[in-house]
Each structure stands twice: as C-alpha cells, then as structure tokens.
Amino acid sequence: QVQLVESGGGLVQAGGSLRLSCVVSGSTFSLSVMGWYRQAPGKQRELVVIVTNGGTTNYADSVKGRFTISRDNAKNTVYLQMNNLKPEDTAVYYCNAKAYVLGKEYNYWGQGTQVTVSS
C-alpha cells in the first residue's frame, strides 16, 4: 500500500506563489509515476503535471511556464511550485502516484489540499 499526504495549500492573491508538498510512504519502490491533479468546483479532475522515475514531465498547457514539479527521493516527497497564480488555478489539488504491476495500473491519491487564488 501507498499513502500520500499533501500540504501547502492556502489563500493567495493573483500573481502570488505557493508550494505544495506530497509525502509518500509505504511501498514506494513500486511507483513509476508521480503527479498532481486538480479539481475545481463543478468540474472534472484534471491533470496538472506528472513526472516519471526517469524525470520525464508532462505539464498541462494551462500551467506551463508557471508550475514546476520536483522530487526529493531522499525525503520521499514530491513538490509543486506554483508561480504567477491566477484565479482559474483555484481548485483542490491532489497528489497522485501510479504503479504498474503485471500490466495493470494502480492509482493512489492523497486527501487533497485547497488552493484559492483571489483576484
């Protein structure tokens, strides 16, 4: 099993910055992909960014150039640095981890952290 705990959300003015953290515990050796997703009120959960064990990243177009994902393997922590935040970035942000075992994908989710950007 894998457990994910996010922190770092909050209220910030447009143009400001926040850094989200996701501490990963449990069977971390099985994980292949880490990432962040978000869900705004009334909308579906959407990809923000993912990073593979090899360091390949995939950012949503809406956050390219503003958000940066990083990993500290020694601390089993994944970060999401968010700069130049916009009101449309307001959402609950979820940390995600993926494991692939015998061709099957397993998804693990954190509890989510609220990010609110005021105009």
Side-chain angles (χ1 to χ4, degrees):
Q1 281 290 350
V2 174
Q3 295 80 42
L4 308 174
V5 179
E6 303 106 331
S7 61
L11 173 64
V12 64
Q13 288 188 334
S17 299
L18 283 174
R19 189 177 79 157
L20 306 183
S21 300
C22 174
V23 178
V24 187
S25 61
S27 302
T28 58
F29 64 89
S30 65
L31 302 177
S32 300
V33 179
M34 298 293 302
W36 292 91
Y37 290 71
R38 67 186 182 187
Q39 187 167 16
K43 294 188 177 181
Q44 289 189 334
R45 191 172 297 188
E46 64 177 7
L47 169 73
V48 177
V49 59
I50 56 172
V51 60
T52 69
N53 283 348
T56 300
T57 58
N58 181 27
Y59 288 89
D61 288 342
S62 59
V63 306
K64 282 181 181 176
R66 300 188 298 120
F67 291 12
T68 303
I69 191 170
S70 61
R71 302 172 67 154
D72 185 334
N73 292 329
K75 294 182 178 181
N76 284 335
T77 302
V78 179
Y79 302 99
L80 181 65
Q81 178 66 45
M82 305 185 294
N83 298 328
N84 190 20
L85 283 159
K86 304 176 180 181
E88 51 264 42
D89 294 318
T90 296
V92 177
Y93 283 70
Y94 296 92
C95 183
N96 170 262
K98 299 184 192 296
Y100 297 91
V101 180
L102 298 177
K104 186 175 179 180
E105 181 180 283
Y106 293 85
N107 278 281
Y108 302 95
W109 296 94
Q111 81 284 358
T113 185
Q114 177 71 47
V115 171
T116 303
V117 184
S118 63
S119 58

